[in-house]
C-alpha cells in the first residue's frame, strides 16, 4: 500500500492544485471534504489543510475532527488551515485592515528551516486572504514574514506541524512546489514511489484479480482517457475486453477510420459501429443547443445499449473517468450548481444495464493519465490529441444539422487543425476547433459576387477546461489559415477568430 498524504478540503477554489503539486513529486495523495473524515487511514503519513472561503470567526466555519487524533502526525495548514490551527492553539486571527491579494516576497526567519530547503530568500509567493494571523500560541514560532504580513508562516516547537498564510500550491508561488515537497518528503518521509510505471503495474495486477475471466465492455471515444483505460484493462484481461467505437457522423474528417485503425494497431478487441444515419435522423429539424445535446446523448445510449447486448454475459462497464470527475467538492453555497450544458459521456448509461463499473483512472489527473499512457507506449497521436466533446461537430454547427453542413465543417476543421500542426502550434494550444455559423455574408471572388457561409475559429489555452483564454496566435499564421480555408472549402467566404475567454464565454459555442 502506498503512503498517503491526506488533503482536507475546506472549499478553496485551488485545493486540487495542492494534489497536483504533490503528484508531480510522485507522492500519492487524496482530497477529502473536511467533514467526511472521521479517522485517519493507516497509510496516512501527513495531512494538508486547504484554504477556504470561510473566516475562522464565521458561524458554521469548518472545524475538522482530525486535530484531536494524533499529535505526532505531520500537518501543514494553508491560509484558512493555518489560521484555524493558530486560533485553536492559543494564537489570534483578525480581520486584515486591507484584504491581501497577489504577489509578495518571503523574508525567512530561519533560512535552514526544513520547509525552506532549496528555496532562495525573497521567493515570490501568492497571497489571497481577508483574515490574518496576528498572534501565535506559546509553543509556536514565526518562520517567515512578508512586507505586509508578519506571520506569513509558523511552526510548532514540539510537533511537526506548520502553517503558511500564502498559497504554495498556485503557479505564481514560484518555489511553492519545492516547499510542498519539503513538507511531504523531509517531514512526512514520503518515498516518492507513486510513478507512472508503478501505477501501471499495480493497476494491471489489481484488475487481473478483480475481473478474473469476466467480460468488460468499454466505449472508446478516440480521446486520451478512454484509450488509456482500455489499454490498462486490455493488458489485464486481453480479449475479454470488448471495445465499442461509435461513429456518430459528427467526428472530425476521416477520424472514424484513422482512430479505429490506431486502436487495432494497439491490439485492442474493438468494434467500429457506424451509426451516422441514426444520429442524423434524431437531429433532424433540431436547432436548440440543449435539444441537440440530448438527442445525441440519447442516440448514443441506444446504439451502445444495442451493441452491449451482443456481448453475452458481460458483467462490467469500463470507463475513463478521471480524478477531477470524482473529487467530492465542498459545497460552499449549500445548493447544487447550475447546469450550463448537459454533458453526455458514456457515464450516463441507464441503470437497467446492470453492469458494474471499472474505472482504472479514477485516481489520476489528466497529465498523469498521459504519463501512464506514455509508459504503456500508446502513440503520441492519441496522447497529445486535443479534447473533443462527446457531441462532436453537432455543437459546433449552430442551428440545425445536415450532412452537407457537417461535410463543410469537417473540411474547414481539417485545414485549421493541420495548419496548427504544420506551424508547430498544435501542442501549445489546449483545444482548437472550427464553428459553422448560421450567417451568410457577401464576398467577392475573382470578379464575382459570393453570398456564402462564415466560420469562426477557436483556439484556447487552459489547464483543465474550467477556465480558458483565447490563444494569442501569430497574425501571419491566422492570415494564412484564413486564406487556405476560403480557397479550399467551397461554400465559405469569411473567417473570424474568437477572442473570448472563459468565463464569461465557454469554450464550445453551444
Ligand atoms: P465548455 O464549452 O463548457 O467546454 O467551456 C469545456 C470542455 O468540455 C468539453 N465538452 C464536452 N465534453 N461531452 C464531453 O465529453 C460534452 O457533452 C461536452 N461539452 C463540452 C469541451 O470541448 C471543452 O473541452
Amino acid at each position: 500500500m502506498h503512503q498517503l498524504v491526506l488533503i482536507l478540503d475546506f472549499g478553496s477554489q485551488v485545493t486540487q492544485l495542492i494534489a497536483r503539486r504533490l503528484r508531480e513529486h510522485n507522492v500519492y495523495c487524496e482530497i477529502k471534504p473536511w467533514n467526511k473524515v472521521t479517522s485517519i487511514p493507516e497509510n496516512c503519513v501527513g495531512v494538508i489543510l486547504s484554504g477556504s472561503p470561510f473566516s475562522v470567526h464565521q458561524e458554521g466555519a469548518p472545524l475538522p475532527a482530525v486535530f484531536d487524533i494524533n499529535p505526532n502526525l505531520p500537518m501543514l495548514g494553508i491560509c484558512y488551515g493555518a489560521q484555524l490551527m493558530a486560533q485553536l492553539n492559543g494564537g489570534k486571527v483578525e480581520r486584515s485592515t486591507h484584504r491581501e491579494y497577489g504577489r509578495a516576497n518571503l523574508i525567512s526567519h530561519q533560512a535552514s528551516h526544513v520547509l525552506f530547503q532549496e528555496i532562495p530568500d525573497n521567493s515570490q509567493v501568492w497571497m489571497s486572504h481577508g483574515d490574518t494571523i496576528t498572534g501565535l500560541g506559546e509553543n509556536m514560532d514565526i518562520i517567515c514574514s512578508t512586507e505586509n504580513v508578519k506571520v506569513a508562516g509558523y511552526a510548532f516547537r514540539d510537533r511537526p506541524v506548520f502553517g503558511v498564510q500564502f498559497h504554495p500550491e498556485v503557479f505564481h508561488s514560484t518555489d511553492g512546489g519545492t516547499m510542498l515537497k519539503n513538507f511531504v518528503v523531509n517531514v512526512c518521509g514520503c518515498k516518492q514511489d507513486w510513478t507512472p510505471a508503478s501505477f501501471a503495474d499495480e493497476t494491471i495486477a489489481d484488475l487481473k484479480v478483480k475481473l478474473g475471466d469476466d467480460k468488460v465492455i468499454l466505449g472508446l471515444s478516440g480521446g486520451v482517457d478512454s484509450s488509456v483505460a482500455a489499454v490498462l484493462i486490455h493488458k489485464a484481461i486481453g480479449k475479454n475486453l470488448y471495445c465499442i467505437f461509435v461513429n456518430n457522423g459528427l467526428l472530425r474528417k476521416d477520424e472514424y477510420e484513422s482512430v479505429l485503425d490506431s486502436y487495432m494497431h494497439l491490439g485492442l478487441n474493438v468494434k467500429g459501429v457506424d451509426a451516422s444515419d441514426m444520429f442524423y435522423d434524431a437531429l433532424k429539424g433540431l436547432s436548440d443547443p440543449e435539444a441537440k445535446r440530448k438527442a445525441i446523448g440519447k442516440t448514443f445510449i441506444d446504439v451502445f445499449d444495442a451493441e452491449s447486448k451482443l456481448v453475452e454475459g458481460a458483467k462490467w462497464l469500463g470507463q475513463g473517468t478521471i480524478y477531477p470527475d470524482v473529487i467530492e467538492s465542498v459545497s460552499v453555497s449549500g445548493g447544487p450548481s447550475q447546469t450550463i450544458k448537459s454533458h453526455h459521456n458514456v457515464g450516463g448509461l441507464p441503470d437497467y444495464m446492470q453492469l458494474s463499473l471499472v474505472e482504472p483512472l479514477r485516481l489520476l489527473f489528466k497529465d498523469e493519465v498521459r504519463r501512464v499512457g506514455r509508459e504503456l507506449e500508446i502513440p503520441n497521436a492519441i496522447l497529445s490529441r486535443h479534447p473533443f466533446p462527446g457531441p462532436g461537430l453537432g455543437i459546433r454547427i449552430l442551428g440545425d444539422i445536415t450532412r452537407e453542413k457537417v461535410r463543410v465543417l469537417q473540411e474547414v476543421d481539417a485545414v485549421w487543425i493541420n495548419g496548427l500542426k504544420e506551424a508547430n502550434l498544435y501542442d501549445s494550444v489546449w483545444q482548437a476547433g472550427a464553428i459553422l455559423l448560421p450567417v451568410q455574408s457577401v464576398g467577392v471572388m475573382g470578379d464575382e459576387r459570393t453570398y456564402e457561409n462564415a466560420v469562426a475559429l477557436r483556439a484556447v489555452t487552459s489547464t483543465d477546461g474550467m477556465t480558458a483564454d483565447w490563444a494569442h496566435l501569430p497574425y501571419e499564421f491566422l492570415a494564412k489559415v484564413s486564406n487556405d480555408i476560403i480557397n479550399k472549402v467551397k461554400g465559405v467566404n469569411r473567417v473570424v477568430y474568437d477572442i473570448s475567454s472563459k468565463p464569461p464565454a465557454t469554450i464550445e459555442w453551444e
Side-chain angles (χ1 to χ4, degrees):
M1 204 192 298
H2 281 276
Q3 296 165 308
L4 164 75
V5 173
L6 191 61
I7 300 166
L8 282 197
D9 182 24
F10 295 125
S12 158
Q13 297 272 330
V14 287
T15 303
Q16 280 196 30
L17 291 181
I18 307 174
R20 294 180 64 159
R21 290 289 99 83
L22 299 191
R23 299 280 185 92
E24 279 164 15
H25 293 290
N26 298 329
V27 168
Y28 181 61
C29 56
E30 284 180 25
I31 300 174
K32 297 278 182 207
W34 67 273
N35 49 357
K36 297 281 170 70
V37 176
T38 48
S39 64
I40 298 291
E42 222 172 278
N43 57 334
C44 175
V45 294
V47 176
I48 296 183
L49 311 175
S50 84
S52 174
F54 280 94
S55 154
V56 290
H57 299 300
Q58 232 169 312
E59 205 177 314
L63 178 61
V66 284
F67 291 131
D68 301 329
I69 291 169
N70 175 0
N72 296 318
L73 187 68
M75 293 211 277
L76 173 67
I78 295 174
C79 197
Y80 175 88
Q83 293 163 0
L84 186 63
M85 288 199 294
Q87 175 171 279
L88 291 173
N89 290 280
K92 200 167 178 195
V93 176
E94 291 180 282
R95 199 94 202 118
S96 310
T97 41
H98 57 285
R99 286 157 82 82
E100 282 150 332
Y101 291 104
R103 225 174 287 275
N105 293 87
L106 280 189
I107 306 157
S108 160
H109 291 227
Q110 298 180 19
S112 61
H113 192 275
V114 64
L115 286 189
F116 296 138
Q117 275 166 35
E118 296 174 53
I119 294 181
D121 209 7
N122 272 321
S123 175
Q124 176 180 296
V125 292
W126 205 252
M127 291 284 185
S128 176
H129 58 114
D131 284 354
T132 196
I133 302 167
T134 52
L136 290 175
E138 277 175 9
N139 55 344
M140 299 149 89
D141 292 315
I142 299 179
I143 53 172
C144 59
S145 305
T146 66
E147 199 183 325
N148 295 323
V149 180
K150 194 166 152 226
V151 190
Y154 64 80
F156 279 66
R157 284 186 204 143
D158 51 353
R159 297 167 56 189
V161 175
F162 315 89
V164 289
Q165 182 58 78
F166 53 89
H167 287 269
E169 69 275 30
V170 305
F171 173 76
H172 290 96
S173 288
T174 326
D175 301 296
T178 309
M179 197 172 298
L180 289 170
K181 184 193 89 176
N182 286 342
F183 174 68
V184 292
V185 175
N186 300 346
V187 180
C188 305
C190 287
K191 293 196 197 86
Q192 298 182 275
D193 54 3
W194 170 256
T195 59
S198 72
F199 173 84
D201 290 348
E202 289 163 22
T203 304
I204 293 165
D206 289 349
L207 287 170
K208 273 187 186 155
V209 176
K210 182 173 179 170
L211 301 174
D213 291 328
D214 292 350
K215 290 181 184 172
V216 179
I217 300 169
L218 184 144
L220 286 166
S221 72
V224 182
D225 304 339
S226 63
S227 306
V228 175
V231 171
L232 279 170
I233 301 174
H234 175 78
K235 287 202 182 284
I237 62 168
K239 296 281 178 219
N240 271 344
L241 172 67
Y242 292 78
C243 299
I244 298 168
F245 179 46
V246 177
N247 184 5
N248 57 10
L250 303 163
L251 300 175
R252 295 195 138 113
K253 188 181 176 192
D254 299 332
E255 193 135 273
Y256 179 57
E257 295 76 13
S258 72
V259 169
L260 202 51
D261 195 51
S262 49
Y263 283 141
M264 288 182 171
H265 271 94
L266 280 170
L268 295 177
N269 174 14
V270 55
K271 178 175 179 189
V273 181
D274 188 351
S276 310
D277 289 340
M278 277 179 73
F279 282 89
Y280 290 140
D281 282 348
L283 284 165
K284 208 170 269 169
L286 297 183
S287 52
D288 173 69
E290 277 299 292
K292 289 196 301 186
R293 279 177 169 273
K294 296 223 161 95
I296 296 169
K298 181 180 175 306
T299 310
F300 182 84
I301 289 170
D302 290 347
V303 173
F304 197 81
D305 186 27
E307 285 302 321
S308 311
K309 287 200 179 114
L310 302 178
V311 183
E312 244 169 76
K315 289 213 178 118
W316 300 86
L317 179 70
Q319 287 194 329
T321 316
I322 62 172
Y323 198 39
D325 304 332
V326 297
I327 296 176
E328 237 186 301
S329 59
V330 172
S331 166
V332 177
S333 64
S337 57
Q338 207 191 350
T339 302
I340 308 288
K341 299 175 184 183
S342 28
H343 276 216
H344 104 275
N345 285 317
V346 190
L349 288 179
D351 292 343
Y352 64 75
M353 284 186 72
Q354 295 191 333
L355 297 169
S356 306
L357 286 182
V358 51
E359 301 174 311
L361 309 177
R362 263 181 89 80
L363 297 174
L364 301 191
F365 288 106
K366 191 97 180 176
D367 44 341
E368 293 178 299
V369 175
R370 289 209 172 89
R371 284 166 68 196
V372 170
R374 258 175 236 126
E375 189 65 39
L376 297 169
E377 297 180 353
I378 297 176
N380 206 36
I382 293 180
L383 297 181
S384 64
R385 182 171 287 149
H386 287 170
F388 188 67
L393 302 183
I395 54 170
R396 294 183 181 168
I397 294 170
L398 307 198
D400 70 321
I401 292 167
T402 62
R403 254 174 214 280
E404 178 55 14
K405 288 184 186 175
V406 172
R407 192 200 59 77
V408 170
L409 186 57
Q410 281 179 333
E411 296 298 330
V412 172
D413 179 79
V415 176
W416 176 218
I417 298 297
N418 290 336
L420 284 164
K421 286 183 178 162
E422 279 160 20
N424 279 329
L425 292 166
Y426 184 83
D427 290 332
S428 59
V429 161
W430 191 77
Q431 185 172 17
I435 300 98
L436 185 66
L437 305 179
V439 169
Q440 294 200 307
S441 74
V442 175
V444 54
M445 275 181 172
D447 288 330
E448 281 185 34
R449 175 188 193 270
T450 59
Y451 188 58
E452 293 178 333
N453 275 104
V455 294
L457 303 181
R458 182 90 163 123
V460 296
T461 53
S462 177
T463 50
D464 51 15
M466 304 291 285
T467 58
D469 194 9
W470 59 279
H472 295 219
L473 297 171
Y475 285 170
E476 298 71 23
F477 167 71
L478 290 173
K480 180 177 179 316
V481 170
S482 162
N483 227 23
D484 283 352
I485 289 173
I486 294 172
N487 282 329
K488 287 182 187 161
V489 186
K490 204 162 168 293
V492 174
N493 68 353
R494 193 173 295 267
V495 176
V496 298
Y497 187 52
D498 181 349
I499 53 167
S500 346
S501 62
K502 174 183 178 178
T506 53
I507 296 176
E508 304 293 347
W509 279 41
E510 287 195 336

